[in-house]
Amino acid sequence: MIDFSPSSIPKKPGIYAIYDQSKKLVYVGHGKDLRNRITNHIIRQDSSVTTGASATVLNPEKISHIRWWLHEEFADEDRRKAAEFIASKVLNPVLRSRSNVEKKAKTILKDRSFCEKMELLFDKEPPEAFYPKTFDNLANLVLELHERVSKLEKQLKT
């Protein structure tokens, strides 16, 4: 079942990926508190990528779902920023973060072991996802439920 509750998003440091309705990856970001950062995008709509402060805008109504990766290395802000850079390289989202890679993160990116570990992490789709309460997501859920009820009705008739 689709989870529409932001409480399913951990309040931990991590890297997240936002997908549009065609399931295309549109944005990769990072946050020290994923729940807070993701709700900035989709509920409060006060992040630069949703307010129009960036060159391209992410429309929260067109978000299909958001997935995230957790790793103990993400507790360190510089390692998290380096990991976000690697995630963007591996996943190739439509929109890129506006921030430049800082000096400390650049140093971390020279660590081949760290880079390989992160590349392996981002090669795998994380198992958890959050589905915002958009009109399209709710309409898809209604269609899914209608199909399931129809199948159950057919089974009951036989």
Side-chain angles (χ1 to χ4, degrees), residues 3-14:
D3 192 346
F4 289 109
S5 171
S7 65
S8 66
I9 304 168
K11 294 178 76 56
K12 294 181 177 184

Side-chain angles (χ1 to χ4, degrees), residues 15-150:
I15 307 296
Y16 60 92
I18 300 176
Y19 297 83
D20 69 10
Q21 292 165 337
S22 64
K23 311 297 185 251
K24 184 175 186 175
L25 176 64
V26 292
Y27 185 76
V28 170
H30 75 91
K32 66 180 178 180
D33 176 334
L34 283 175
R35 186 181 310 162
N36 185 52
R37 186 69 189 122
I38 290 169
T39 56
N40 278 343
H41 287 306
I42 53 150
I43 295 171
R44 291 191 296 267
Q45 299 181 18
D46 63 359
S47 68
S48 63
V49 77
T50 56
T51 61
S54 60
T56 342
V57 178
L58 177 67
N59 181 346
E61 278 299 311
K62 300 299 180 186
I63 294 172
S64 162
H65 63 287
I66 301 169
R67 294 190 177 279
W68 55 85
W69 294 265
L70 301 174
H71 195 280
E72 65 265 1
E73 302 239 24
F74 298 161
D76 178 83
E77 183 179 13
D78 296 316
R79 296 183 93 65
R80 192 171 60 248
K81 287 178 178 178
E84 178 192 20
F85 179 83
I86 294 167
S88 288
K89 191 174 92 178
V90 170
L91 302 168
N92 195 27
V94 174
L95 300 173
R96 300 285 179 147
S97 174
R98 295 183 326 155
S99 60
N100 293 325
V101 179
E102 295 174 11
K103 189 175 182 180
K104 290 179 182 177
K106 281 183 183 177
T107 302
I108 294 166
L109 289 169
K110 293 177 184 175
D111 178 350
R112 193 69 214 135
S113 171
F114 174 82
C115 291
E116 288 172 357
K117 186 181 347 177
M118 292 299 116
E119 287 167 358
L120 284 172
L121 178 68
F122 298 123
D123 268 341
K124 299 175 190 154
E125 189 172 271
E128 296 178 279
F130 167 70
Y131 293 81
K133 290 180 184 174
T134 64
F135 176 78
D136 289 331
N137 280 348
L138 293 172
N140 287 335
L141 181 60
V142 168
L143 289 172
E144 178 188 315
L145 290 172
H146 176 70
E147 289 173 9
R148 292 168 73 184
V149 168
S150 293

